[in-house]
Amino acid sequence: MHEPRRGRLTVYLGAAPGVGKTYAMLGEARRRGERGTDVVVGYVETHGRPHTTAQVQGLEVVPRRELVHRGTTFTEMDTDAVIARRPEVVCVDELAHSNVPGSRHEKRAEDIEQIRRAGIDVITTVNIQHLESLNDEVERITGVKQRETVPDEVVRTADQIQLVDMSPDALRRRMAHGNIYQADNIDASLTSYFRVGNLTALRELALLWLADRVDDALDDYRRAHRIDHPWPTKERIVVAVTGGAESETLLRRGARLAQRAAGSELLAVHVISTDGLAVPDDRRVAKVQQLVDSLGGSLHSVVGEDVPTSVVDFATGANATMIVVGVSRHGRLRRLFAGTTGDRVAQLAGSVDVHLVTHDQSARAGRPRWYLSPLSRTRQYAGLLLGLLLPVLLTVVLDHFHEPDQLPLDVLLFLALTVLVALVGGLVPALLAAVLGFVLMNWFFTPPLNRITVAEPENLVALLVFVAVAVAVATVVDRASRRAADAVRARAEAATLGALSRSVLTGTDTADAVVTRLRETFGQDAVSLLERTAAGWTVLASSGGPCASHPDDGDTKVTVDDDHLLVLCGSPLRASDRRVLEAFGVQTGLVLEYRRLRRREEEAAALEGAEATSTAVLRAVSHDLRTPLATMRASVDGLVSGSLDAADRAELVASVDSSTEQLERLIDNLLDLSRIQSGLMRPALTPRSLDEVLPLAVAGHGPGLVSLEVDEDAPLVLTDAGLLERVVANLVGNAVRLSGGEPVRVLAHVLAETVEVLVVDRGPGVPPAQRERMFEPFQRLDDSSPGGLGLGLAVARGLAESVGGSLAAEDTPGGGLTMVLTLPRALP
């Protein structure tokens, strides 16, 4: 019995509202209808757009279902009616829509799922900002939190996804022409959500999300059709690294190969052997990670028994086009019998190209010293002693109770003794016990007795098998002890390095915390961090009491950098502890670097503030002081002339009084800025309400010239009220002068972390190429801006930056200029 057919899902994905998703969906419905397909419209929202409404004409529309919620009647898609109608295809707009309470399903996506289960194909629409995974990103970009979202999986698993895209400028033109929203909403939308930066970011999100979906679809297709060989959709270079000195050579060669084709990826793979014997050098692996990051690639660690197989499996899974491996570092004998990694990778790679790179480390592998044991000296000495004594004691005991034809039992007892010695002292004592046991059994228990010769061949075979088994067992026991020691050491190192990594990521460690952790980890009496100065060595931090004031005073030293040392006082450390000790040195260097960076950041911030203040002072002196002084000079000249009547004299006196008041206010601000520049005073950054500051800034202009539109519920901003008032006053004054009688609008736009004060005029505007010049002093931008925009805006930007804000210019839709003053929101 066959399962019922499941309807296909086609999604028209929009980069932003208004790009034409619904129009495209209806166009597809009309094309299918013309080809004879039974198509209906289950739900469509035209938003009053004439072109979209025209697309609905001629299509069958299923009547909507009416629902009453809180005394208001709403309409939703009638899912049952659509299923009862049983068309071949149904168009359902707004996939992320939340249904009115009382509906069968909470989300429209669930209605669509029910329709698809009935075997009906669905064409739907959704905007990129409604995807659940991108909701936070969209809010940070636009300042608007989307309340209606849909899980990514619903869209990602669609049978077909069509991206409906449009350039930001084209979309803004469509908005300005009234093709998206009503006329009374156009200005607000263009200056808030539909700004060029917002639209560009949303467009990039849509393209990146869809690119990931295309990669997923390609991987699904390859898995479904069991395609194991890579498809060269784009260049992916896999570099096999060991952590050795040759890794840097291989990575740089791989990076050069990746740079030859646009869009290539560099992937480094490090295989961790499962035998537990090959322990990579963490410092070298860390250097490899840093180099990969600097080359723009990514490092991947995989676990595998066979290195060539693991490398090829990773490359195939990553759809790689080339594998870069190095020439073997092993000697000729091993290469002759065991082959090389490069040769085996080439044999297993199939259609993947293999690039073999020579390097200085080839055939220079160090020879392992088998006789070195990871056990302590005490256990090794005890093993040697037992290896000499136990065979002799066992011989004495067996000689006392020896029976003829008892050699097999003797062999087993001596073998057990050899295993015991191996457990205690490792490989060398066990070999000693095996050889000594062979000699003693030959002399005392193998006919002819008390002679080295062996009369019976089977006895000789038994003795030789004993030696071989004893050597094999001792080797296995020794390897097991090495693995156990490595595992314990690796566990301890992993725990310590993990704690260090967490402290590095959080950035909360101090020098005192590092030396304290170092003393506790290695059980030292005391630890000191020394710094080299012109007067000698000084102690920056210490733990456990006074340790050393000079490097020669300590028992163990770790170099942090050229001017800093860690000095440990206590029991000497083992050589195996040096790796973790070096990690502490790196951690200490990071802590010191963080300290230096914080200090430099504070100095840079102070210098930047002083520079901004100095610039603002100079611009204000050259611009704002000149106007009141000229007015006062003209008024005084008129008063001195003595030829004026009483009314004219009173008007001139009033001008002098007004100019004096303005001059006093400017001088007070300049004195404050001068104190800021000298470091004696900083701007008083406090939470302030725009509803308190902006009315003062726009005061003094005639009725109808300025429209202040600030919501009383707007959040507080962190600023200096006096300086903010001066910035806005400059902007409004320039806007009024350029608007030609048109009212200037002052708006407040609330974003996630900032608040934007917009000063919108309908003047001649400024070409984009000249907008940065108008913030420079003494710039009037030729005839395109009569009256000048330069000096006032230069002062405004300088003051805005001194209080932690920023000032920029944008086009006003329909003509004019919009000044955008961005201020940080005050934290709750």
Side-chain angles (χ1 to χ4, degrees), residues 443-464:
W443 183 268
F444 289 99
F445 307 121
T446 306
L449 301 179
N450 303 324
R451 294 179 63 182
I452 298 299
T453 59
V454 180
E456 299 295 335
E458 59 269 19
N459 292 337
L460 177 62
V461 172
L463 293 177
L464 293 178

Side-chain angles (χ1 to χ4, degrees), residues 416-429:
L417 181 146
T418 304
V419 173
L420 175 63
V421 173
L423 290 173
V424 175
L427 180 60
V428 174

Side-chain angles (χ1 to χ4, degrees), residues 624-625 627-628 657-667:
D624 293 313
L625 293 181
T627 300
D657 182 66
S658 175
S659 298
T660 302
E661 182 180 354
Q662 181 181 2
L663 191 59
E664 289 176 349
R665 185 168 62 251
L666 294 177
I667 291 175

